[in-house]
Amino acid sequence: MGVTCVSQMPVAEGKSVQQTVELLTRKLEMLGAEKQGTFCVDCETYHTAASTLGSQGQAGKLMYVMHNSEYPLSCFALFENGPCLIADTNFDVLMVKLKGFFQSAKASKIETRGTRYQYCDFLVKVGTVTMGPSARGISVEVEYGPCVVASDCWNLLLEFLQSFLGSHTPGAPAVFGNRHDAVYGPADTMAQYMELFNKIRKQQQVPVAGIR
Amino acid sequence: MADVLSVGVNLEAFAQAISAIQALRSSVSRVFDCLKDGMRNKETLEGREKAFIAHFQDNLHSVNRDLNELERLSNLVGKPSENHPLHNSGLLSLDPVQDKTPLYSQLLQAYKWSNKLQYHAGLASGLLNQQSLKRSANQMGVSAKRRPKAQPTTLVLPPQYVDDVISRIDRMFPEMSIHLSRPNGTSAMLLVTLGKVLKVIVVMRSLFIDRTIVKGYNESVYAEDGKLDIWSKSNYQVFQKVTDHATTALLHYQLPQMPDVVVRSFMVSGLRSRVAHGDLSSLPVSAGSSEGGPQWARASAWDTGQRRADAFF
């Protein structure tokens, strides 16, 4: 995998989420990108159980368990600003057994689904972020395959993003700055999705009209 | 044209003579028609014969008349001029259309050009044979000392020598690591890793570079059997393009007398400069433009890198 940038696209004024997504995908198709199926990234939140908290005197930490259709056999477990664990999909079963330590937050499941596009060496995924029944926003993921060092190709990614996001082009993701010369990995992408989901959770709920 | 023809031929008479010939021919054919048809049916045999003879006679008279007319006209036409040995057909060569086309001067010009071309080609080949490739001139001083004096056939070099050359290149650059292996007989295969940018598979035959493939840093360079995969190309368009460039460079700078120089130049200029000068961000852009990409695909920066690399040589 290459370097990936995940960002949020604000919903266009006077348009629904669905319409904005269509606007984006049409732009991509005009650019010459090829449609390559769909993708899905989901995230579930776990609390640290109260019983373990008290004894150690720590603040409660949130753990996010995520799946990415790009890595169908893997499961990602992340702490905010913390380590990221990449495990087999069986990890979900393990989480059930760890009920005593981690408890699933109610109705916390958030996911993004959409279409995957290939343009030259770029992979673009435009998805609708949904939480429960409501559409909350739009995620745009752009991956540049051939490169593994984020700082080497950020400018290129930026230029590409500008070509179809226009004024909504995001700044460099935080994970890029963390490690200057390190090889970019799937965990970095998941951390970006986690941040995006957290940001969207805090946002006001948009009208349900946009759901598909 | 008119004065040329008037020398020997009266055109008017000529046209009349032609029509006279036609008349003669038709009257002759009437004679034969009459003979073919034979005698017409009449009451008496004498009547039949008389009518036939009269008809036949008429026809013969008309033939005679036409013949006399033709003879008269042929005198009018006049004798063809004696100037042309081919008689009138000789006049064909006087067709003025040919005089207007500058065929002769063009032919002359073309001949001059081809002569000149041959001359210059001869000069150029002489010069090229003297100093086979210019790029080696700078490095000649260094490499000449190290190179063994006698290299009868550069194809049969001891593997140790190849190892030596490669390891020397390996030590020259910290950001470039070369891994040498010989999976198939004595031919060396190199896996060159450049920083965190790309990997290059170089297939050698003795010290000649046979084939080169450039792949991304995160791509697998090994086949399923664990050997270096020297056949499949990169999944990324950028590196397919880079492979093309590398192969072009390889074919362009072949120097049979000094293979080690070729290898070193290839590594130094062809590969290392990609990282040192033409940093990666400049590469993918050109791949985009080769795709006829939209506005963000600006003028190919890779080509500039290539030119810079060429300046090395």
Side-chain angles (χ1 to χ4, degrees), chain B residues 133 135-136 139 143 147 165 169 204 207-210 249-270 313:
Chain B
L133 275 174
R135 68 175 173 113
S136 60
Q139 300 166 341
S143 61
R147 213 173 55 252
V165 171
I169 297 170
M204 313 271 292
L207 259 184
F208 286 108
I209 303 177
D210 229 23
L250 189 68
L251 295 174
H252 189 67
Y253 299 111
Q254 208 45 288
L255 191 61
Q257 293 88 20
M258 289 168 279
D260 52 341
V261 175
V262 175
V263 175
R264 188 168 324 121
S265 329
F266 180 74
M267 298 291 181
V268 176
S269 322
F313 286 120

PDB file of all heavy atoms in Angstrom, chain B residues 133 135-136 139 143 147 165 169 204 207-210 249-270 313:
ATOM      1  N   LEU B 133      32.252   6.441 -27.358  1.00  0.00           N
ATOM      2  CA  LEU B 133      31.177   7.157 -26.679  1.00  0.00           C
ATOM      3  C   LEU B 133      31.786   8.237 -25.821  1.00  0.00           C
ATOM      4  O   LEU B 133      32.719   8.016 -25.072  1.00  0.00           O
ATOM      5  CB  LEU B 133      30.350   6.209 -25.809  1.00  0.00           C
ATOM      6  CG  LEU B 133      29.251   5.476 -26.555  1.00  0.00           C
ATOM      7  CD1 LEU B 133      28.604   4.472 -25.663  1.00  0.00           C
ATOM      8  CD2 LEU B 133      28.217   6.426 -27.118  1.00  0.00           C
ATOM      9  N   ARG B 135      30.672   9.961 -23.305  1.00  0.00           N
ATOM     10  CA  ARG B 135      30.419  10.047 -21.871  1.00  0.00           C
ATOM     11  C   ARG B 135      31.510   9.399 -21.037  1.00  0.00           C
ATOM     12  O   ARG B 135      31.700   9.728 -19.888  1.00  0.00           O
ATOM     13  CB  ARG B 135      29.097   9.368 -21.548  1.00  0.00           C
ATOM     14  CG  ARG B 135      29.213   7.900 -21.777  1.00  0.00           C
ATOM     15  CD  ARG B 135      27.986   7.186 -21.372  1.00  0.00           C
ATOM     16  NE  ARG B 135      28.149   5.821 -21.798  1.00  0.00           N
ATOM     17  CZ  ARG B 135      28.270   4.824 -20.967  1.00  0.00           C
ATOM     18  NH1 ARG B 135      28.222   5.027 -19.689  1.00  0.00           N
ATOM     19  NH2 ARG B 135      28.436   3.610 -21.422  1.00  0.00           N
ATOM     20  N   SER B 136      32.196   8.418 -21.595  1.00  0.00           N
ATOM     21  CA  SER B 136      33.181   7.717 -20.802  1.00  0.00           C
ATOM     22  C   SER B 136      34.458   8.530 -20.665  1.00  0.00           C
ATOM     23  O   SER B 136      35.330   8.186 -19.894  1.00  0.00           O
ATOM     24  CB  SER B 136      33.491   6.371 -21.424  1.00  0.00           C
ATOM     25  OG  SER B 136      33.982   6.590 -22.718  1.00  0.00           O
ATOM     26  N   GLN B 139      35.333   9.619 -17.074  1.00  0.00           N
ATOM     27  CA  GLN B 139      35.621   8.580 -16.100  1.00  0.00           C
ATOM     28  C   GLN B 139      36.768   7.701 -16.538  1.00  0.00           C
ATOM     29  O   GLN B 139      37.225   6.849 -15.786  1.00  0.00           O
ATOM     30  CB  GLN B 139      34.372   7.728 -15.903  1.00  0.00           C
ATOM     31  CG  GLN B 139      33.228   8.566 -15.402  1.00  0.00           C
ATOM     32  CD  GLN B 139      31.906   7.864 -15.504  1.00  0.00           C
ATOM     33  OE1 GLN B 139      31.787   6.911 -16.243  1.00  0.00           O
ATOM     34  NE2 GLN B 139      30.935   8.321 -14.758  1.00  0.00           N
ATOM     35  N   SER B 143      38.880   4.950 -14.249  1.00  0.00           N
ATOM     36  CA  SER B 143      38.613   3.529 -14.456  1.00  0.00           C
ATOM     37  C   SER B 143      39.769   2.833 -15.157  1.00  0.00           C
ATOM     38  O   SER B 143      39.985   1.647 -14.970  1.00  0.00           O
ATOM     39  CB  SER B 143      37.346   3.372 -15.280  1.00  0.00           C
ATOM     40  OG  SER B 143      37.532   3.987 -16.523  1.00  0.00           O
ATOM     41  N   ARG B 147      41.088  -0.970 -14.255  1.00  0.00           N
ATOM     42  CA  ARG B 147      40.710  -2.042 -15.162  1.00  0.00           C
ATOM     43  C   ARG B 147      41.900  -2.910 -15.497  1.00  0.00           C
ATOM     44  O   ARG B 147      42.989  -2.399 -15.748  1.00  0.00           O
ATOM     45  CB  ARG B 147      40.129  -1.437 -16.441  1.00  0.00           C
ATOM     46  CG  ARG B 147      39.064  -2.292 -17.054  1.00  0.00           C
ATOM     47  CD  ARG B 147      38.409  -1.579 -18.221  1.00  0.00           C
ATOM     48  NE  ARG B 147      39.371  -1.147 -19.210  1.00  0.00           N
ATOM     49  CZ  ARG B 147      39.707   0.118 -19.407  1.00  0.00           C
ATOM     50  NH1 ARG B 147      39.168   1.061 -18.692  1.00  0.00           N
ATOM     51  NH2 ARG B 147      40.584   0.437 -20.333  1.00  0.00           N
ATOM     52  N   VAL B 165      33.506  -5.625  -8.687  1.00  0.00           N
ATOM     53  CA  VAL B 165      32.996  -4.374  -9.271  1.00  0.00           C
ATOM     54  C   VAL B 165      31.719  -3.948  -8.566  1.00  0.00           C
ATOM     55  O   VAL B 165      31.542  -2.781  -8.175  1.00  0.00           O
ATOM     56  CB  VAL B 165      32.731  -4.548 -10.778  1.00  0.00           C
ATOM     57  CG1 VAL B 165      31.988  -3.334 -11.333  1.00  0.00           C
ATOM     58  CG2 VAL B 165      34.038  -4.738 -11.532  1.00  0.00           C
ATOM     59  N   ILE B 169      30.856  -0.632  -6.150  1.00  0.00           N
ATOM     60  CA  ILE B 169      29.774   0.334  -6.391  1.00  0.00           C
ATOM     61  C   ILE B 169      28.880   0.436  -5.153  1.00  0.00           C
ATOM     62  O   ILE B 169      28.449   1.520  -4.759  1.00  0.00           O
ATOM     63  CB  ILE B 169      28.941  -0.091  -7.618  1.00  0.00           C
ATOM     64  CG1 ILE B 169      29.814  -0.073  -8.861  1.00  0.00           C
ATOM     65  CG2 ILE B 169      27.755   0.842  -7.817  1.00  0.00           C
ATOM     66  CD1 ILE B 169      29.161  -0.706 -10.069  1.00  0.00           C
ATOM     67  N   MET B 204      22.334  -9.499 -14.993  1.00  0.00           N
ATOM     68  CA  MET B 204      23.629  -9.294 -15.632  1.00  0.00           C
ATOM     69  C   MET B 204      24.018 -10.539 -16.419  1.00  0.00           C
ATOM     70  O   MET B 204      23.656 -11.657 -16.063  1.00  0.00           O
ATOM     71  CB  MET B 204      24.717  -9.063 -14.578  1.00  0.00           C
ATOM     72  CG  MET B 204      24.369  -8.084 -13.502  1.00  0.00           C
ATOM     73  SD  MET B 204      24.817  -6.443 -13.964  1.00  0.00           S
ATOM     74  CE  MET B 204      26.578  -6.557 -13.955  1.00  0.00           C
ATOM     75  N   LEU B 207      29.505  -8.838 -17.126  1.00  0.00           N
ATOM     76  CA  LEU B 207      29.337  -7.462 -16.638  1.00  0.00           C
ATOM     77  C   LEU B 207      28.386  -6.660 -17.503  1.00  0.00           C
ATOM     78  O   LEU B 207      28.267  -5.455 -17.353  1.00  0.00           O
ATOM     79  CB  LEU B 207      30.696  -6.771 -16.567  1.00  0.00           C
ATOM     80  CG  LEU B 207      31.311  -6.707 -15.164  1.00  0.00           C
ATOM     81  CD1 LEU B 207      32.598  -5.934 -15.190  1.00  0.00           C
ATOM     82  CD2 LEU B 207      30.363  -6.104 -14.149  1.00  0.00           C
ATOM     83  N   PHE B 208      27.747  -7.315 -18.439  1.00  0.00           N
ATOM     84  CA  PHE B 208      26.763  -6.609 -19.248  1.00  0.00           C
ATOM     85  C   PHE B 208      25.420  -6.627 -18.545  1.00  0.00           C
ATOM     86  O   PHE B 208      25.032  -7.647 -17.978  1.00  0.00           O
ATOM     87  CB  PHE B 208      26.601  -7.274 -20.610  1.00  0.00           C
ATOM     88  CG  PHE B 208      27.753  -7.019 -21.523  1.00  0.00           C
ATOM     89  CD1 PHE B 208      28.646  -8.024 -21.820  1.00  0.00           C
ATOM     90  CD2 PHE B 208      27.937  -5.774 -22.077  1.00  0.00           C
ATOM     91  CE1 PHE B 208      29.719  -7.789 -22.645  1.00  0.00           C
ATOM     92  CE2 PHE B 208      29.004  -5.536 -22.906  1.00  0.00           C
ATOM     93  CZ  PHE B 208      29.902  -6.545 -23.196  1.00  0.00           C
ATOM     94  N   ILE B 209      24.740  -5.521 -18.612  1.00  0.00           N
ATOM     95  CA  ILE B 209      23.386  -5.493 -18.048  1.00  0.00           C
ATOM     96  C   ILE B 209      22.429  -5.982 -19.119  1.00  0.00           C
ATOM     97  O   ILE B 209      22.379  -5.443 -20.224  1.00  0.00           O
ATOM     98  CB  ILE B 209      23.011  -4.084 -17.588  1.00  0.00           C
ATOM     99  CG1 ILE B 209      24.037  -3.593 -16.577  1.00  0.00           C
ATOM    100  CG2 ILE B 209      21.633  -4.091 -16.975  1.00  0.00           C
ATOM    101  CD1 ILE B 209      23.799  -2.185 -16.115  1.00  0.00           C
ATOM    102  N   ASP B 210      21.734  -7.030 -18.781  1.00  0.00           N
ATOM    103  CA  ASP B 210      20.869  -7.679 -19.756  1.00  0.00           C
ATOM    104  C   ASP B 210      19.464  -7.125 -19.718  1.00  0.00           C
ATOM    105  O   ASP B 210      18.804  -6.985 -20.735  1.00  0.00           O
ATOM    106  CB  ASP B 210      20.824  -9.181 -19.452  1.00  0.00           C
ATOM    107  CG  ASP B 210      21.063  -9.998 -20.690  1.00  0.00           C
ATOM    108  OD1 ASP B 210      21.665  -9.454 -21.626  1.00  0.00           O
ATOM    109  OD2 ASP B 210      20.642 -11.163 -20.707  1.00  0.00           O
ATOM    110  N   ALA B 249      18.012   3.888 -21.388  1.00  0.00           N
ATOM    111  CA  ALA B 249      19.369   4.313 -21.031  1.00  0.00           C
ATOM    112  C   ALA B 249      20.342   3.165 -21.225  1.00  0.00           C
ATOM    113  O   ALA B 249      21.447   3.321 -21.738  1.00  0.00           O
ATOM    114  CB  ALA B 249      19.392   4.802 -19.595  1.00  0.00           C
ATOM    115  N   LEU B 250      19.873   1.994 -20.809  1.00  0.00           N
ATOM    116  CA  LEU B 250      20.699   0.784 -20.887  1.00  0.00           C
ATOM    117  C   LEU B 250      21.093   0.468 -22.325  1.00  0.00           C
ATOM    118  O   LEU B 250      22.253   0.183 -22.629  1.00  0.00           O
ATOM    119  CB  LEU B 250      19.843  -0.353 -20.341  1.00  0.00           C
ATOM    120  CG  LEU B 250      20.501  -1.671 -20.103  1.00  0.00           C
ATOM    121  CD1 LEU B 250      21.441  -1.460 -18.961  1.00  0.00           C
ATOM    122  CD2 LEU B 250      19.449  -2.672 -19.741  1.00  0.00           C
ATOM    123  N   LEU B 251      20.122   0.544 -23.193  1.00  0.00           N
ATOM    124  CA  LEU B 251      20.387   0.209 -24.596  1.00  0.00           C
ATOM    125  C   LEU B 251      21.225   1.297 -25.247  1.00  0.00           C
ATOM    126  O   LEU B 251      22.057   1.024 -26.110  1.00  0.00           O
ATOM    127  CB  LEU B 251      19.066   0.057 -25.345  1.00  0.00           C
ATOM    128  CG  LEU B 251      18.215  -1.101 -24.878  1.00  0.00           C
ATOM    129  CD1 LEU B 251      16.873  -1.080 -25.564  1.00  0.00           C
ATOM    130  CD2 LEU B 251      18.908  -2.417 -25.145  1.00  0.00           C
ATOM    131  N   HIS B 252      20.988   2.519 -24.791  1.00  0.00           N
ATOM    132  CA  HIS B 252      21.661   3.637 -25.442  1.00  0.00           C
ATOM    133  C   HIS B 252      23.152   3.651 -25.120  1.00  0.00           C
ATOM    134  O   HIS B 252      23.989   3.904 -25.970  1.00  0.00           O
ATOM    135  CB  HIS B 252      21.001   4.932 -25.008  1.00  0.00           C
ATOM    136  CG  HIS B 252      21.464   6.113 -25.781  1.00  0.00           C
ATOM    137  ND1 HIS B 252      21.171   6.243 -27.122  1.00  0.00           N
ATOM    138  CD2 HIS B 252      22.205   7.186 -25.426  1.00  0.00           C
ATOM    139  CE1 HIS B 252      21.723   7.367 -27.548  1.00  0.00           C
ATOM    140  NE2 HIS B 252      22.352   7.950 -26.550  1.00  0.00           N
ATOM    141  N   TYR B 253      23.467   3.392 -23.858  1.00  0.00           N
ATOM    142  CA  TYR B 253      24.867   3.500 -23.445  1.00  0.00           C
ATOM    143  C   TYR B 253      25.485   2.121 -23.306  1.00  0.00           C
ATOM    144  O   TYR B 253      25.746   1.666 -22.210  1.00  0.00           O
ATOM    145  CB  TYR B 253      24.966   4.253 -22.135  1.00  0.00           C
ATOM    146  CG  TYR B 253      24.427   5.647 -22.233  1.00  0.00           C
ATOM    147  CD1 TYR B 253      23.259   6.007 -21.592  1.00  0.00           C
ATOM    148  CD2 TYR B 253      25.081   6.595 -23.004  1.00  0.00           C
ATOM    149  CE1 TYR B 253      22.764   7.280 -21.706  1.00  0.00           C
ATOM    150  CE2 TYR B 253      24.587   7.870 -23.119  1.00  0.00           C
ATOM    151  CZ  TYR B 253      23.428   8.201 -22.469  1.00  0.00           C
ATOM    152  OH  TYR B 253      22.932   9.466 -22.571  1.00  0.00           O
ATOM    153  N   GLN B 254      25.674   1.484 -24.385  1.00  0.00           N
ATOM    154  CA  GLN B 254      26.333   0.186 -24.332  1.00  0.00           C
ATOM    155  C   GLN B 254      27.771   0.409 -24.770  1.00  0.00           C
ATOM    156  O   GLN B 254      28.039   1.124 -25.739  1.00  0.00           O
ATOM    157  CB  GLN B 254      25.591  -0.783 -25.265  1.00  0.00           C
ATOM    158  CG  GLN B 254      25.655  -2.251 -24.922  1.00  0.00           C
ATOM    159  CD  GLN B 254      25.431  -2.610 -23.476  1.00  0.00           C
ATOM    160  OE1 GLN B 254      26.289  -2.364 -22.652  1.00  0.00           O
ATOM    161  NE2 GLN B 254      24.308  -3.233 -23.167  1.00  0.00           N
ATOM    162  N   LEU B 255      28.704  -0.139 -24.030  1.00  0.00           N
ATOM    163  CA  LEU B 255      30.108   0.106 -24.329  1.00  0.00           C
ATOM    164  C   LEU B 255      30.879  -1.202 -24.152  1.00  0.00           C
ATOM    165  O   LEU B 255      31.372  -1.492 -23.065  1.00  0.00           O
ATOM    166  CB  LEU B 255      30.644   1.179 -23.384  1.00  0.00           C
ATOM    167  CG  LEU B 255      31.998   1.771 -23.681  1.00  0.00           C
ATOM    168  CD1 LEU B 255      31.963   2.452 -25.045  1.00  0.00           C
ATOM    169  CD2 LEU B 255      32.367   2.779 -22.624  1.00  0.00           C
ATOM    170  N   PRO B 256      30.949  -1.999 -25.181  1.00  0.00           N
ATOM    171  CA  PRO B 256      31.493  -3.346 -25.032  1.00  0.00           C
ATOM    172  C   PRO B 256      32.925  -3.387 -24.508  1.00  0.00           C
ATOM    173  O   PRO B 256      33.294  -4.330 -23.823  1.00  0.00           O
ATOM    174  CB  PRO B 256      31.433  -3.901 -26.447  1.00  0.00           C
ATOM    175  CG  PRO B 256      30.444  -3.074 -27.156  1.00  0.00           C
ATOM    176  CD  PRO B 256      30.517  -1.722 -26.548  1.00  0.00           C
ATOM    177  N   GLN B 257      33.706  -2.362 -24.804  1.00  0.00           N
ATOM    178  CA  GLN B 257      35.106  -2.432 -24.375  1.00  0.00           C
ATOM    179  C   GLN B 257      35.242  -2.275 -22.865  1.00  0.00           C
ATOM    180  O   GLN B 257      36.151  -2.822 -22.262  1.00  0.00           O
ATOM    181  CB  GLN B 257      35.937  -1.343 -25.059  1.00  0.00           C
ATOM    182  CG  GLN B 257      36.100  -1.510 -26.543  1.00  0.00           C
ATOM    183  CD  GLN B 257      34.949  -0.854 -27.289  1.00  0.00           C
ATOM    184  OE1 GLN B 257      34.269   0.000 -26.742  1.00  0.00           O
ATOM    185  NE2 GLN B 257      34.712  -1.270 -28.518  1.00  0.00           N
ATOM    186  N   MET B 258      34.333  -1.501 -22.264  1.00  0.00           N
ATOM    187  CA  MET B 258      34.488  -1.227 -20.842  1.00  0.00           C
ATOM    188  C   MET B 258      33.177  -1.467 -20.111  1.00  0.00           C
ATOM    189  O   MET B 258      32.496  -0.517 -19.710  1.00  0.00           O
ATOM    190  CB  MET B 258      34.949   0.218 -20.644  1.00  0.00           C
ATOM    191  CG  MET B 258      36.362   0.455 -21.072  1.00  0.00           C
ATOM    192  SD  MET B 258      36.710   2.198 -21.131  1.00  0.00           S
ATOM    193  CE  MET B 258      36.011   2.625 -22.698  1.00  0.00           C
ATOM    194  N   PRO B 259      32.786  -2.707 -19.925  1.00  0.00           N
ATOM    195  CA  PRO B 259      31.477  -2.981 -19.312  1.00  0.00           C
ATOM    196  C   PRO B 259      31.357  -2.451 -17.905  1.00  0.00           C
ATOM    197  O   PRO B 259      30.290  -2.051 -17.481  1.00  0.00           O
ATOM    198  CB  PRO B 259      31.379  -4.498 -19.356  1.00  0.00           C
ATOM    199  CG  PRO B 259      32.758  -4.988 -19.531  1.00  0.00           C
ATOM    200  CD  PRO B 259      33.523  -3.935 -20.253  1.00  0.00           C
ATOM    201  N   ASP B 260      32.461  -2.439 -17.153  1.00  0.00           N
ATOM    202  CA  ASP B 260      32.339  -1.982 -15.759  1.00  0.00           C
ATOM    203  C   ASP B 260      31.982  -0.507 -15.686  1.00  0.00           C
ATOM    204  O   ASP B 260      31.291  -0.064 -14.780  1.00  0.00           O
ATOM    205  CB  ASP B 260      33.626  -2.267 -14.978  1.00  0.00           C
ATOM    206  CG  ASP B 260      34.850  -1.718 -15.693  1.00  0.00           C
ATOM    207  OD1 ASP B 260      34.739  -1.468 -16.909  1.00  0.00           O
ATOM    208  OD2 ASP B 260      35.883  -1.536 -15.043  1.00  0.00           O
ATOM    209  N   VAL B 261      32.457   0.245 -16.669  1.00  0.00           N
ATOM    210  CA  VAL B 261      32.107   1.667 -16.714  1.00  0.00           C
ATOM    211  C   VAL B 261      30.612   1.821 -16.933  1.00  0.00           C
ATOM    212  O   VAL B 261      29.954   2.644 -16.304  1.00  0.00           O
ATOM    213  CB  VAL B 261      32.886   2.375 -17.838  1.00  0.00           C
ATOM    214  CG1 VAL B 261      32.439   3.822 -17.955  1.00  0.00           C
ATOM    215  CG2 VAL B 261      34.368   2.297 -17.565  1.00  0.00           C
ATOM    216  N   VAL B 262      30.095   0.979 -17.819  1.00  0.00           N
ATOM    217  CA  VAL B 262      28.665   1.031 -18.108  1.00  0.00           C
ATOM    218  C   VAL B 262      27.881   0.756 -16.844  1.00  0.00           C
ATOM    219  O   VAL B 262      26.948   1.488 -16.495  1.00  0.00           O
ATOM    220  CB  VAL B 262      28.287   0.016 -19.205  1.00  0.00           C
ATOM    221  CG1 VAL B 262      26.777   0.010 -19.401  1.00  0.00           C
ATOM    222  CG2 VAL B 262      28.989   0.343 -20.497  1.00  0.00           C
ATOM    223  N   VAL B 263      28.263  -0.280 -16.137  1.00  0.00           N
ATOM    224  CA  VAL B 263      27.528  -0.657 -14.925  1.00  0.00           C
ATOM    225  C   VAL B 263      27.575   0.487 -13.926  1.00  0.00           C
ATOM    226  O   VAL B 263      26.562   0.878 -13.360  1.00  0.00           O
ATOM    227  CB  VAL B 263      28.130  -1.932 -14.304  1.00  0.00           C
ATOM    228  CG1 VAL B 263      27.441  -2.226 -12.989  1.00  0.00           C
ATOM    229  CG2 VAL B 263      27.987  -3.085 -15.252  1.00  0.00           C
ATOM    230  N   ARG B 264      28.775   1.059 -13.760  1.00  0.00           N
ATOM    231  CA  ARG B 264      28.888   2.105 -12.757  1.00  0.00           C
ATOM    232  C   ARG B 264      28.067   3.333 -13.161  1.00  0.00           C
ATOM    233  O   ARG B 264      27.337   3.899 -12.355  1.00  0.00           O
ATOM    234  CB  ARG B 264      30.345   2.498 -12.548  1.00  0.00           C
ATOM    235  CG  ARG B 264      30.485   3.442 -11.377  1.00  0.00           C
ATOM    236  CD  ARG B 264      31.915   3.655 -10.932  1.00  0.00           C
ATOM    237  NE  ARG B 264      32.733   2.474 -11.051  1.00  0.00           N
ATOM    238  CZ  ARG B 264      33.835   2.427 -11.802  1.00  0.00           C
ATOM    239  NH1 ARG B 264      34.207   3.478 -12.476  1.00  0.00           N
ATOM    240  NH2 ARG B 264      34.544   1.337 -11.855  1.00  0.00           N
ATOM    241  N   SER B 265      28.165   3.715 -14.441  1.00  0.00           N
ATOM    242  CA  SER B 265      27.402   4.889 -14.868  1.00  0.00           C
ATOM    243  C   SER B 265      25.923   4.645 -14.706  1.00  0.00           C
ATOM    244  O   SER B 265      25.166   5.529 -14.331  1.00  0.00           O
ATOM    245  CB  SER B 265      27.690   5.223 -16.324  1.00  0.00           C
ATOM    246  OG  SER B 265      28.973   4.867 -16.655  1.00  0.00           O
ATOM    247  N   PHE B 266      25.531   3.415 -15.012  1.00  0.00           N
ATOM    248  CA  PHE B 266      24.107   3.081 -14.909  1.00  0.00           C
ATOM    249  C   PHE B 266      23.641   3.254 -13.482  1.00  0.00           C
ATOM    250  O   PHE B 266      22.597   3.834 -13.219  1.00  0.00           O
ATOM    251  CB  PHE B 266      23.900   1.645 -15.377  1.00  0.00           C
ATOM    252  CG  PHE B 266      22.480   1.202 -15.317  1.00  0.00           C
ATOM    253  CD1 PHE B 266      21.554   1.667 -16.242  1.00  0.00           C
ATOM    254  CD2 PHE B 266      22.058   0.315 -14.346  1.00  0.00           C
ATOM    255  CE1 PHE B 266      20.238   1.269 -16.189  1.00  0.00           C
ATOM    256  CE2 PHE B 266      20.747  -0.088 -14.297  1.00  0.00           C
ATOM    257  CZ  PHE B 266      19.838   0.383 -15.216  1.00  0.00           C
ATOM    258  N   MET B 267      24.426   2.739 -12.551  1.00  0.00           N
ATOM    259  CA  MET B 267      24.050   2.828 -11.146  1.00  0.00           C
ATOM    260  C   MET B 267      24.080   4.276 -10.673  1.00  0.00           C
ATOM    261  O   MET B 267      23.168   4.751 -10.009  1.00  0.00           O
ATOM    262  CB  MET B 267      25.034   2.023 -10.281  1.00  0.00           C
ATOM    263  CG  MET B 267      25.048   0.562 -10.590  1.00  0.00           C
ATOM    264  SD  MET B 267      23.536  -0.231 -10.087  1.00  0.00           S
ATOM    265  CE  MET B 267      23.892  -1.905 -10.552  1.00  0.00           C
ATOM    266  N   VAL B 268      25.154   4.976 -11.009  1.00  0.00           N
ATOM    267  CA  VAL B 268      25.349   6.321 -10.483  1.00  0.00           C
ATOM    268  C   VAL B 268      24.349   7.287 -11.090  1.00  0.00           C
ATOM    269  O   VAL B 268      23.543   7.896 -10.395  1.00  0.00           O
ATOM    270  CB  VAL B 268      26.780   6.810 -10.790  1.00  0.00           C
ATOM    271  CG1 VAL B 268      26.926   8.245 -10.325  1.00  0.00           C
ATOM    272  CG2 VAL B 268      27.787   5.924 -10.105  1.00  0.00           C
ATOM    273  N   SER B 269      24.398   7.366 -12.410  1.00  0.00           N
ATOM    274  CA  SER B 269      23.601   8.401 -13.051  1.00  0.00           C
ATOM    275  C   SER B 269      22.170   7.959 -13.235  1.00  0.00           C
ATOM    276  O   SER B 269      21.237   8.699 -12.970  1.00  0.00           O
ATOM    277  CB  SER B 269      24.199   8.732 -14.410  1.00  0.00           C
ATOM    278  OG  SER B 269      25.588   8.687 -14.309  1.00  0.00           O
ATOM    279  N   GLY B 270      22.047   6.727 -13.692  1.00  0.00           N
ATOM    280  CA  GLY B 270      20.714   6.255 -14.025  1.00  0.00           C
ATOM    281  C   GLY B 270      19.834   6.084 -12.816  1.00  0.00           C
ATOM    282  O   GLY B 270      18.663   6.426 -12.841  1.00  0.00           O
ATOM    283  N   PHE B 313      26.701  11.597 -17.960  1.00  0.00           N
ATOM    284  CA  PHE B 313      27.431  10.645 -18.808  1.00  0.00           C
ATOM    285  C   PHE B 313      28.550  11.317 -19.586  1.00  0.00           C
ATOM    286  O   PHE B 313      28.429  12.460 -19.958  1.00  0.00           O
ATOM    287  CB  PHE B 313      26.459   9.983 -19.790  1.00  0.00           C
ATOM    288  CG  PHE B 313      25.576   8.989 -19.121  1.00  0.00           C
ATOM    289  CD1 PHE B 313      24.204   9.128 -19.139  1.00  0.00           C
ATOM    290  CD2 PHE B 313      26.120   7.914 -18.432  1.00  0.00           C
ATOM    291  CE1 PHE B 313      23.389   8.216 -18.515  1.00  0.00           C
ATOM    292  CE2 PHE B 313      25.303   6.996 -17.809  1.00  0.00           C
ATOM    293  CZ  PHE B 313      23.938   7.149 -17.849  1.00  0.00           C
TER     294      PHE B 313
END
